[in-house]
Amino acid sequence: MSEPLSEPVIFPLGDGALTVEFGRRIAVAANDRVLDLFDYFERNSFRGLIETVPAFCTLTIFYDAFEVRSRNPRYPTAFEAVRALVAEGLEKSTETARPETPPVEIPVAFDEESGPDLDYVAAINDLAREDVIEIFTSRVYRVFMLGFLPGFPYLGELDERIAAPRRSVPRLVVPRGSVGIAGRQTGIYPIESPGGWQLVGRTDFRLFDPAKNPPCTLRPGDRIRFTVAMK
Amino acid sequence: MSILIQKAGILTTVQDLGRHGYRRFGINPNGAMDRHALRVANILLGNDENTAGLEIHYPAPEIVFEEPAFFALAGADFSAALDGRPVENWHVGFAPGNSILTFRKKISGNRLYLAVRGGFRIDRWLGSASTNLRAGAGGFEGRRLAAGDRLFFNRTTMDGKKDPGYRLSSSLIPFYSSFPTVRIVAGPEFEWLTEESRIDFTEQNYAISLNSDRMGFRLEGPPLTARERTQMVSSAVDFGTVQMLPDGRLIVLMADHQTTGGYPRIGQIASVDRPLVAQLGGNDKIAFHPITVAAAEDLAVRRRIDLNRLRSAVGFRFPA
């Protein structure tokens, strides 16, 4: 995954946001740059900034056009003003060393009730259930982003030997804590929800607790490891 | 000081202008679908514009004012009546103790806002009173209102127990058409469309599917085509983002949208026109008119100036 990084591209998302795109493929290097720029704006807020949202290879910046314009009369639009702030941020935010924290351990039950699609994932990959579990738990995953549901971590990258397509018909109810596979991604449902990922197990690990602030346990850039839960 | 939900409506929730700063955790802003209507109702009452109000769908609830209150209705017209006497939208009314607010018929729009002077007393979750139905948090116990629910509001001065008598300038009262043309800015993936589809997008009309809710409105119409099937990785989306699904159909993301999505973002509806979309319901229609970012910003800025003017005018008559 040592592709050279392309120059970031900046797109408006209407009159209240813009997206900075560091590529169009899931890659650790692009995600690092997203998080660098995210950190930069955490330290260097500006008047009119509402919030920033990191994703796989984009950072989206939400702002109040009225506030940004009144603070930056030199620019014809709020979009141009924020674009200039992003350019400054890109210059100053490069090459931040990201400390490697020990992976968060997440115990998963892989029995048939917890992982109703484990047999399917094994079958399409010509493996036994035990092989899928072995491969699945043997690597450290990166949290690329949170999205879809409160606290839902998009984790990668999954070993291609156990990759599986999304279900053609999504389930109406996926129980809280379900661990799913979609393509070469894996993720955990923090709350009950409809969902289309192949479910291979379930965890009691709490990813979302509305009584806490912030209510979510994981952060983009965190690393996690799945372990087999003791009965 | 309280109101009582005497009969439940189909979907009544507590909403403000949204919860900000938590999209990064996958927690979206929620908030009023028609933010303009809630804002105006609050400003008319002398409230902070972000004060929580009720968002009411039809069939609507029956509401008892257990104590006297100044209130305002804005947004959809559900033919409101207080103790049987018609109540107009977009102005301040006075409800005597034990008066009953009912809604008899859907005339226009789909979401009506009720605000009371002083504001409802709602515990904020992550800085906002908006209801997140999916997470079961925020608003009133994280859920829609049911019969028997009682919402308290802050006591306010009751000098001059009558309609303060001012009218809203018509520029701030939207015309809620059931077939609006809304202004839209090209989205990051607009260029992915074929040349033909780019033209079609602004020349076709779309019907709002019956299968639409606070998360999103599905549009029915001829599908669009992308020049090439480019896989897209998930990125942030917003209220008013128009996404293209794999079959070429479109979906407009609404207030309860997911924070991120993996479908091409064809366009982003100008924020000033979002309320017009928010008032649509199943079988209504919509068309899109492309504008530049600069034009969309100009509209947003002008709207803000108009609202600020209204706030100073109200502040002058309705001292806190």
Side-chain angles (χ1 to χ4, degrees):
Chain A
M1 286 233 213
S2 52
E3 263 174 67
L5 282 172
S6 46
E7 272 303 297
V9 186
I10 298 173
F11 300 98
L13 190 62
D15 52 86
L18 62 74
T19 294
V20 189
E21 188 185 82
F22 295 93
R24 298 209 138 159
R25 242 180 291 168
I26 299 174
V28 171
N31 193 240
D32 272 340
R33 295 196 61 192
V34 169
L35 298 181
D36 286 342
L37 190 62
F38 171 82
D39 288 344
Y40 173 83
F41 282 112
E42 288 298 284
R43 294 187 310 265
N44 301 278
S45 188
F46 57 87
R47 182 160 151 201
L49 174 65
I50 297 172
E51 58 187 307
T52 62
V53 185
F56 284 108
C57 39
T58 57
L59 184 73
T60 299
I61 300 172
F62 290 87
Y63 51 84
D64 179 325
F66 179 83
E67 292 290 326
V68 171
R69 274 198 186 187
S70 54
R71 189 55 180 258
N72 299 276
R74 284 187 301 124
Y75 291 93
T77 59
F79 171 68
E80 293 296 337
V82 177
R83 179 151 75 174
L85 290 164
V86 169
E88 193 184 334
L90 288 170
E91 215 162 274
K92 293 183 181 165
S93 73
T94 44
E95 318 242 343
T96 314
R98 209 154 274 289
E100 260 212 358
T101 48
V104 179
E105 296 220 336
I106 297 185
V108 177
F110 290 100
D111 57 281
E112 271 168 46
E113 198 204 325
S114 307
D117 300 325
L118 188 53
D119 282 331
Y120 169 80
V121 173
I124 62 160
N125 288 298
D126 271 330
L127 295 167
R129 290 172 69 90
E130 293 67 35
D131 300 332
V132 176
I133 296 167
E134 165 67 27
I135 296 169
F136 187 69
T137 53
S138 65
R139 89 165 43 174
V140 171
Y141 299 95
R142 174 190 177 99
V143 178
F144 279 92
M145 60 179 276
L146 301 174
F148 170 44
L149 293 172
F152 184 100
Y154 285 84
L155 306 165
E157 195 172 39
L158 194 72
D159 192 312
E160 62 185 343
R161 288 175 294 165
I162 56 171
R166 284 177 171 79
R167 292 171 61 85
S168 49
V169 181
R171 284 190 172 84
L172 292 175
V173 177
V174 172
R176 179 175 97 185
S178 294
V179 177
I181 285 179
R184 293 192 62 188
Q185 297 177 71
T186 169
I188 311 162
Y189 288 80
I191 56 177
E192 184 184 289
S193 147
W197 293 29
Q198 307 286 353
L199 307 182
V200 296
R202 203 186 305 169
T203 180
D204 290 333
F205 189 90
R206 206 60 197 270
L207 293 167
F208 171 70
D209 180 354
K212 290 188 181 149
N213 188 4
C216 304
T217 316
L218 298 175
R219 299 282 174 279
D222 282 354
R223 297 173 332 130
I224 72 133
R225 182 196 291 282
F226 292 111
T227 58
V228 180
M230 297 296 163
K231 293 263 160 154
Chain B
M1 310 297 278
S2 56
I3 63 163
L4 172 72
I5 306 297
Q6 187 158 273
K7 272 191 201 153
I10 189 165
L11 176 59
T12 307
T13 54
V14 173
Q15 302 290 348
D16 59 17
L17 299 181
R19 178 173 291 111
H20 302 292
Y22 293 89
R23 297 191 206 220
R24 61 189 59 173
F25 298 112
I27 299 168
N28 81 330
N30 304 118
M33 291 273 273
D34 182 344
R35 298 215 194 325
H36 177 74
L38 178 62
R39 258 196 182 105
V40 169
N42 274 321
I43 293 173
L44 286 174
L45 289 161
N47 291 341
D48 183 286
E49 62 178 41
N50 191 31
T51 303
L54 300 190
E55 181 180 273
I56 297 170
H57 290 75
Y58 201 86
E62 218 172 273
I63 298 171
V64 182
F65 286 95
E66 298 186 305
E67 273 89 18
F70 284 109
F71 70 99
L73 296 172
D77 182 353
F78 292 164
S79 189
L82 188 67
D83 285 340
R85 278 187 300 276
V87 178
E88 279 181 63
N89 278 4
W90 310 104
H91 87 203
V92 172
F94 175 73
N98 290 316
S99 54
I100 302 177
L101 186 61
T102 52
F103 303 93
R104 290 173 297 187
K105 197 177 162 195
K106 195 164 102 169
I107 310 275
S108 72
N110 283 274
R111 285 156 193 99
L112 170 65
Y113 296 85
L114 166 66
V116 295
R117 178 156 158 80
F120 293 110
R121 250 186 271 151
I122 299 287
D123 288 335
R124 289 175 171 223
W125 178 55
L126 307 177
S128 164
S130 288
T131 310
N132 187 323
L133 292 171
R134 175 57 69 80
F140 188 89
E141 298 177 3
R143 61 170 172 84
R144 62 186 70 191
L145 297 180
D149 287 342
R150 185 169 271 122
L151 281 82
F152 293 88
F153 54 91
N154 296 310
R155 179 180 295 276
T156 53
T157 52
M158 285 290 158
D159 354 320
K161 283 190 182 177
K162 54 183 181 139
D163 180 351
Y166 48 79
R167 295 239 152 239
L168 191 56
S169 97
S170 56
S171 74
L172 286 171
I173 304 181
F175 171 59
Y176 295 128
S177 164
S178 56
F179 186 4
T181 296
V182 303
R183 289 161 288 196
I184 190 163
V185 178
E189 287 77 43
F190 181 73
E191 296 297 320
W192 292 17
L193 296 177
T194 60
E195 208 164 312
E196 203 188 351
S197 278
R198 275 182 250 170
I199 294 166
D200 286 349
F201 176 61
T202 54
E203 290 189 345
Q204 286 168 168
N205 302 326
Y206 296 91
I208 310 291
S209 154
L210 289 171
N211 172 17
S212 293
D213 56 20
R214 276 185 49 97
M215 282 186 74
F217 291 177
R218 281 175 176 267
L219 303 185
E220 285 164 3
L224 301 179
T225 356
R227 279 182 297 175
E228 52 200 279
R229 274 273 155 253
T230 319
Q231 264 313 104
M232 188 185 149
V233 295
S234 283
S235 181
V237 290
D238 195 15
F239 183 4
T241 304
V242 177
Q243 288 181 310
M244 183 173 70
L245 303 175
D247 63 2
R249 312 267 166 187
L250 301 178
I251 185 166
V252 185
L253 302 183
M254 301 304 288
D256 285 352
H257 66 87
Q258 295 172 4
T259 53
T260 54
Y263 298 124
R265 296 159 293 180
I266 300 306
Q268 179 68 38
I269 291 167
S271 61
V272 77
D273 282 350
R274 271 193 314 221
L276 305 183
V277 183
Q279 289 296 350
L280 297 177
N283 290 336
D284 285 344
K285 286 181 149 187
I286 190 170
F288 298 106
H289 175 70
I291 60 170
T292 61
V293 181
E297 283 188 15
D298 287 345
L299 291 166
V301 167
R302 207 170 311 145
R303 172 63 57 82
R304 182 72 62 92
I305 291 168
D306 285 349
L307 287 171
N308 287 347
R309 268 199 204 120
L310 174 66
R311 191 181 305 109
S312 352
V314 171
F316 183 69
R317 299 190 200 216
F318 219 154

